[in-house]
Amino acid sequence: RSGPGAGSCYQQVKRVLHAAVPDRLHGREKETGIIRQFLQDHVCGHQPGSLYISGAPGTGKTACMSHILLECKNELARSKTIVLNCMSLSSPQGVFPAVAQQLGLPVATGREGQQRLEKQLTARGPMVLLVLDELDQLESKGQDVLYTLFEWPQLPGSRLVLVGLANALDLTHRSLARLHTCPRGGPQLLHFAPYTREQLTAILQERLAQVAADPILDAAALQFCARKVSAVSGDARKALDVCRRAVEVVELEVRTQTLLKPLPDGEW
């Protein structure tokens, strides 16, 4: 595609192929329903509890969670919501002062800080929803950090609802085996399977439908991309990435052709 506006058309297409949270999440209706129901039962229902969400990168875990938090803003307004990406912490123990800070507590490290936080989370007050993304970053010797976090919703008088997101399917069974022997059991588990070829195709088509111009990538190219990515990883971010790079290649070719186009006879 060349001609007026072609450049901005490529920019638009590349923009919609970025991995931002879309308005609608394809192929994740069931998972979205389970998370929403969990928040309804526990945060709105004033019942402490925990949910562990697993799935490979690019399977929509974080996107789903962000989407639901935005959607349920009004229902969650009476509780305190804290969202932390554990990649930003310098050590697993760093999660405690980070949560304390969000709750407006004076930040204290070590055992004292932990006890103060525990006291706060078992005192009277609104429910606290703590969402920890990249939870596997909190694995430590003896798993004391993860155990502490997942045991807090089980304490008498607790007002903590914990949602952890990580890549490993078996994190809670492998690292937190004794939680499952507690009277109240371990966390509720939810797994995000890799996207199928059909789901990836639908995701790509929906993104590209946001651009009113002629399609730069045809249906066969999208099918090919979805088939390849679903066979390897089912990672939606990877599929968006591959398509974005393909658009850049087309854009470069068109630009090169335009630059090399011979001038009409007699012109220098």
Side-chain angles (χ1 to χ4, degrees):
R1 181 191 164 90
S2 58
S8 63
C9 162
Y10 291 118
Q11 295 314 312
Q12 276 181 293
V13 172
K14 285 190 288 185
R15 207 172 298 128
V16 298
L17 290 169
H18 267 285
V21 178
D23 294 335
R24 185 166 162 258
L25 287 157
H26 257 296
R28 290 295 179 238
E29 292 76 15
K30 183 176 136 249
E31 292 82 351
T32 302
I34 291 170
I35 299 170
R36 204 181 280 123
Q37 190 61 55
F38 173 84
L39 296 182
Q40 193 74 44
D41 295 347
H42 293 273
V43 183
C44 305
H46 300 275
Q47 289 295 323
S50 57
L51 171 68
Y52 174 67
I53 301 172
S54 63
T59 49
K61 306 182 297 297
T62 306
C64 261
M65 199 67 226
S66 308
H67 202 73
I68 292 163
L69 290 177
L70 214 57
E71 223 177 46
C72 301
K73 216 174 182 171
N74 293 342
E75 292 145 86
L76 299 171
R78 289 186 183 160
S79 56
K80 169 76 178 165
T81 300
I82 301 168
V83 181
L84 277 180
N85 187 314
C86 300
M87 291 279 256
S88 65
L89 304 169
S90 53
S91 73
Q93 280 71 21
V95 69
F96 301 118
V99 173
Q101 192 180 7
Q102 293 279 335
L103 289 172
L105 294 174
V107 174
T109 52
R111 193 82 197 110
E112 186 205 338
Q114 220 167 293
Q115 283 169 335
R116 196 182 287 169
L117 196 48
E118 186 173 305
K119 199 174 170 190
Q120 177 77 4
L121 291 169
T122 49
R124 286 178 69 85
M127 295 303 283
V128 175
L129 170 61
L130 175 58
V131 180
L132 296 174
D133 203 354
E134 308 282 1
L135 185 75
D136 26 14
Q137 297 296 314
L138 301 184
E139 293 202 64
S140 58
K141 200 165 187 265
Q143 303 299 2
D144 52 332
V145 173
L146 285 173
Y147 268 121
T148 300
L149 289 166
F150 278 97
E151 281 170 350
W152 275 349
Q154 303 188 357
L155 296 173
S158 176
R159 54 192 174 102
L160 178 67
V161 178
L162 175 66
V163 179
L165 295 85
N167 299 337
L169 174 61
D170 61 348
L171 179 90
T172 58
H173 281 90
R174 185 185 75 239
S175 307
L176 305 171
R178 78 163 186 255
L179 276 183
H180 296 274
T181 62
C182 295
R184 284 166 75 170
Q188 186 181 323
L189 305 176
L190 173 62
H191 181 61
F192 276 60
Y195 282 109
T196 63
R197 188 184 74 203
E198 293 75 19
Q199 287 170 336
L200 287 174
T201 306
I203 288 167
L204 295 172
Q205 283 171 339
E206 187 169 60
R207 292 290 184 108
L208 291 168
Q210 294 171 37
V211 180
D214 300 337
I216 290 170
L217 299 171
D218 63 17
L222 295 187
Q223 288 279 0
F224 178 75
C225 171
R227 191 168 70 243
K228 288 288 182 193
V229 173
S230 67
V232 177
S233 62
D235 179 338
R237 283 181 293 198
K238 194 142 286 162
L240 290 167
D241 221 27
V242 168
C243 287
R244 204 167 57 246
R245 281 196 211 131
V247 171
E248 282 165 5
V249 169
V250 175
E251 183 183 14
L252 192 63
E253 277 178 14
V254 169
R255 209 177 279 159
T256 310
Q257 281 168 13
T258 311
L259 288 172
L260 298 177
K261 203 177 278 177
L263 291 167
D265 287 349
E267 285 190 34
W268 289 89

